[in-house]
Amino acid sequence: MKRTRILIVDDEPRLVRLVKVNLLASGYEVGVAYNGGKAIEELEASSYDLIILDIMLPGSINGFDVCAKIREVSNIPIIMLTGRAREQDRIQGFNAGADDYLTKPFSVEELLCRVRAVLKRTCYLEEYSTCPAYGCGDLTINFAQKRVFIRDQEVKLTATEYQVLYHLAGHAGKIITHEDLLTRVWGAEYRNELQYLRNYIRNLRKKLEDDPGNPKYIMGTHGVGYCLAAK
């Protein structure tokens, strides 16, 4: 059986060794790149299932740049690492296409938990298979192909963005509470991470709405949750 392959992109040798040893012990195959350029070369040469990507990298290509370049061609899940806990860095990471975000220092157990959660989210559920497609206005979602269209033009979503939209579409016309949506997409341990959800809803609206500030597809009820417009 093919083992899950993870690429670590970080310029701190001690952290890389620590993370690599624990990932190997958990049954993953691991590759390493110490700067952005090498990370892109490694991804072009080999196939990976997840990337652990530091923001602050040496050279002219930082983690945000690497993430954005990857998103031009791939939806591979990305966990971004940073030594700074600033909200603007987190938002920039999500905007670049990150699936999760971890602030240094972190415990190995927390990182492994995030890895398992992100990989699980990439295995799409099939609970809405009896409804092969969703359509409302210019928005169409093909569940079978896991593709999203606006006015017949495909919209590229990250794995996590698709999961958020997928669960909203499966309950179109009904409000899903923040806690329920966080649990469905990220897992029970994320049920209070409201900022995660807000960042992803913001990104989805930018990609799907003509006027993200006045949405007609993804609507929110303050303090309660979100709802996707009924068909």
Side-chain angles (χ1 to χ4, degrees), residues 76-89:
I76 182 173
I78 299 172
I79 298 175
M80 297 200 81
L81 307 178
T82 181
R84 302 180 298 187
R86 298 187 306 175
E87 181 63 20
Q88 66 187 69
D89 290 330

Side-chain angles (χ1 to χ4, degrees), residues 153-166:
Q153 296 295 313
E154 185 168 6
V155 179
K156 295 296 185 181
L157 302 181
T158 68
T160 304
E161 287 171 349
Y162 178 83
Q163 280 284 289
V164 172
L165 188 63
Y166 175 82

Side-chain angles (χ1 to χ4, degrees), residues 16-81:
V16 169
R17 285 197 298 271
L18 176 65
V19 172
K20 182 177 181 179
V21 165
N22 281 277
L23 288 174
L24 289 171
S26 297
Y28 301 110
E29 291 186 8
V30 181
V32 175
Y34 290 97
N35 59 61
K38 289 295 183 182
I40 293 172
E41 290 177 8
E42 182 67 18
L43 290 166
E44 290 175 345
S46 303
S47 175
Y48 286 92
D49 301 291
L50 183 143
I51 304 169
I52 298 172
L53 174 63
D54 188 28
I55 289 177
M56 301 300 293
L57 295 172
S60 59
I61 305 177
N62 62 28
F64 294 130
D65 298 329
V66 174
C67 187
K69 286 180 178 295
I70 292 170
R71 283 292 171 257
E72 291 176 0
V73 296
S74 172
N75 286 334
I76 182 173
I78 299 172
I79 298 175
M80 297 200 81
L81 307 178

Side-chain angles (χ1 to χ4, degrees), residues 121 125 127-128 163-172 174-194 197 201 223-227:
R121 293 200 298 271
L125 305 176
E127 62 186 274
Y128 309 130
Q163 280 284 289
V164 172
L165 188 63
Y166 175 82
H167 286 291
L168 287 171
H171 300 82
K174 301 177 181 178
I175 296 174
I176 302 182
T177 65
H178 299 138
E179 293 82 3
D180 190 16
L181 195 51
L182 282 161
T183 299
R184 286 171 178 269
V185 178
W186 283 271
E189 65 272 25
Y190 290 83
R191 68 190 313 270
N192 295 317
E193 297 285 351
L194 183 54
L197 185 55
I201 293 295
V224 180
Y226 294 98
C227 171

Side-chain angles (χ1 to χ4, degrees), residues 5 12 27 38 71 76 82 97 101 112 140 142 189 198 215:
R5 303 191 73 220
E12 298 180 40
K38 289 295 183 182
R71 283 292 171 257
I76 182 173
T82 181
Y101 200 97
L112 291 175
T140 302
N142 186 313
E189 65 272 25
R198 286 173 176 162

Side-chain angles (χ1 to χ4, degrees), residues 124-133 142-144 146 162 166 170:
Y124 301 123
L125 305 176
E126 299 298 336
E127 62 186 274
Y128 309 130
S129 58
T130 55
C131 179
N142 186 313
F143 293 128
K146 304 176 182 67
Y162 178 83
Y166 175 82

